[in-house]
Amino acid sequence: MAELANVSVATVSYVLSGKNRPVAAETRQRVLDAARQLGYTPNQAARSLRKRRTQRVCLVLSSFGGVPSDARLATDLHEMADAHGYSVVTLAVYSEARAQAAVDMLRGGIADGALIHVVGDHLAHDLLSGLAATGLPMVVLSNESGLEGCDVVRTPEVEASAMAVDHLLDTGRRRIAFMAHRYEVYRDQPSGRMLGYTTALERHGVSERIITGGADDRVSAYQTATELLSSPDRPDAIFAASDRAALSAIWAARDLGLSVPGDVAIVGAGNIDEGLISNPQLSTVGPLRHDYTDVVRLLFDRLQAEEPPPVREIVRSWTFVRRGSS
């Protein structure tokens, strides 16, 4: 291969191994062309044995599919993994049993590092802390406090959610319902988006709380919104914990002959692109851009470091985006 590309054996090794050595773009392309011509495929198993590494990273999510932000996170992880010669294995944690199984597999060496975004209470603090204590390179998207030994990515959901409810109250709404995820309903104390909801109501002296489930999927959200808006004392606003639920609430309102936002204002969370093509466009809280490159880079910085770098924490900004639905 070196002869075909007219380069040294060392240069071929640098290019095909992915080592961070300076190689001219033209030279690199000649090596890659020669590899394709010869049908060369790296022996990942042998390489992994030599390095005592799997050349895999693990993405840990709450479920498979259905969450637009998770899909973008997965895409950005796959793209950077490809660039660094890694493959990606994905684990879904939707129960305590699945959480324990995921931790056991990561402890067993299924991957060289993990990017973890699990909402709810299945992947408990002690499981995460114990996993980080093994030295596994980890990046965790979580607002939970006290995580040590891993990089943490936080989002100020409480503040942004409170801004949304402040807006609803400032526009004269007083019976504001919160459509929560299932796990939020059963928590002893409100957190995240629900905490933003209750914080704003308290700040404005509004005592009534209308809290219901339904935010986990579109069908449940439509059914829940239909029940809420069919009641004699229907709410005049709905703040949904997901944009998918809020979009279903808009459909439910329109099917009942109600106008949005005239009869009921609706706000979601997540700022997904679909909110821009709803009628009316969806007011929401969330990031202004969906790009997880900075998050994914944290993991690969850890994987490539000779010594574990200091623990880092980044905050991805959230804000309230007012559109036509409120």
Side-chain angles (χ1 to χ4, degrees), residues 109-193:
I110 191 175
D112 300 329
L115 179 57
I116 300 173
H117 184 206
V118 176
V119 297
D121 301 320
H122 297 314
L123 198 54
H125 182 278
D126 58 339
L127 286 177
L128 280 174
S129 296
L131 188 58
T134 67
L136 178 73
M138 285 170 45
V139 178
V140 180
L141 286 80
S142 174
N143 287 327
E144 188 173 352
S145 61
L147 290 175
E148 298 180 355
C150 60
D151 294 326
V152 179
V153 180
R154 304 194 185 280
T155 53
E157 296 182 5
V158 175
E159 296 83 352
S161 298
M163 287 172 58
V165 179
D166 283 339
H167 156 71
L168 293 172
L169 292 162
D170 289 341
T171 55
R173 314 289 174 164
R174 282 298 178 269
R175 286 184 49 77
I176 302 172
F178 179 71
M179 189 184 296
H181 290 107
R182 188 178 299 108
Y183 74 88
E184 294 174 302
V185 174
Y186 296 106
R187 279 186 168 168
D188 294 334
Q189 297 293 329
S191 64
R193 300 163 202 188

Side-chain angles (χ1 to χ4, degrees), residues 300-320:
F300 283 93
D301 284 349
R302 285 200 166 275
L303 290 169
Q304 294 181 312
E306 295 292 336
E307 297 291 335
V311 170
R312 294 157 295 180
E313 178 177 308
I314 63 175
V315 177
R316 293 174 59 83
S317 62
W318 270 38
T319 190
F320 169 59

Side-chain angles (χ1 to χ4, degrees), residues 78-297:
H78 274 269
E79 289 181 354
M80 194 169 292
D82 288 345
H84 287 84
Y86 281 76
S87 58
V88 180
V89 58
T90 303
L91 301 177
V93 171
Y94 47 80
S95 66
E96 291 183 4
R98 288 299 310 153
Q100 187 60 61
V103 169
D104 289 344
M105 283 187 278
L106 288 168
R107 283 179 174 271
I110 191 175
D112 300 329
L115 179 57
I116 300 173
H117 184 206
V118 176
V119 297
D121 301 320
H122 297 314
L123 198 54
H125 182 278
D126 58 339
L127 286 177
L128 280 174
S129 296
L131 188 58
T134 67
L136 178 73
M138 285 170 45
V139 178
V140 180
L141 286 80
S142 174
N143 287 327
E144 188 173 352
S145 61
L147 290 175
E148 298 180 355
C150 60
D151 294 326
V152 179
V153 180
R154 304 194 185 280
T155 53
E157 296 182 5
V158 175
E159 296 83 352
S161 298
M163 287 172 58
V165 179
D166 283 339
H167 156 71
L168 293 172
L169 292 162
D170 289 341
T171 55
R173 314 289 174 164
R174 282 298 178 269
R175 286 184 49 77
I176 302 172
F178 179 71
M179 189 184 296
H181 290 107
R182 188 178 299 108
Y183 74 88
E184 294 174 302
V185 174
Y186 296 106
R187 279 186 168 168
D188 294 334
Q189 297 293 329
S191 64
R193 300 163 202 188
M194 185 186 291
L195 180 57
Y197 165 77
T198 58
T199 297
L201 293 182
E202 289 171 2
R203 187 159 57 219
H204 287 258
V206 177
S207 59
E208 186 173 15
R209 307 285 188 272
I210 307 171
I211 297 175
T212 181
D216 294 286
D217 62 80
R218 293 179 185 272
V219 174
S220 295
Y222 181 90
Q223 294 170 339
T224 300
T226 299
E227 292 176 7
L228 283 171
L229 298 175
S230 298
S231 63
D233 55 347
R234 68 171 184 252
D236 54 15
I238 295 175
F239 176 36
S242 72
D243 278 351
R244 293 172 300 154
L247 292 168
S248 289
I250 289 177
W251 280 108
R254 292 175 63 184
D255 288 349
L256 290 170
L258 301 175
S259 68
V260 179
D263 295 316
V264 57
I266 297 174
V267 177
N271 195 23
I272 65 175
D273 292 340
E274 194 176 345
L276 293 170
I277 60 172
S278 63
N279 185 20
Q281 289 188 335
L282 180 65
S283 295
T284 185
V285 297
L288 292 178
R289 63 184 182 89
H290 290 281
D291 178 3
Y292 290 94
T293 305
D294 55 341
V295 175
V296 175
R297 187 176 292 116

Side-chain angles (χ1 to χ4, degrees), residues 45-78:
R47 181 184 295 177
S48 296
L49 286 173
R50 290 195 302 272
K51 294 183 176 181
R52 296 181 179 273
R53 303 184 81 175
T54 66
Q55 292 300 117
R56 287 193 299 264
V57 290
C58 185
L59 177 62
V60 185
L61 300 172
S62 296
S63 63
F64 286 123
V67 181
S69 58
D70 282 354
R72 182 56 191 264
L73 177 64
T75 297
D76 288 348
L77 177 60
H78 274 269

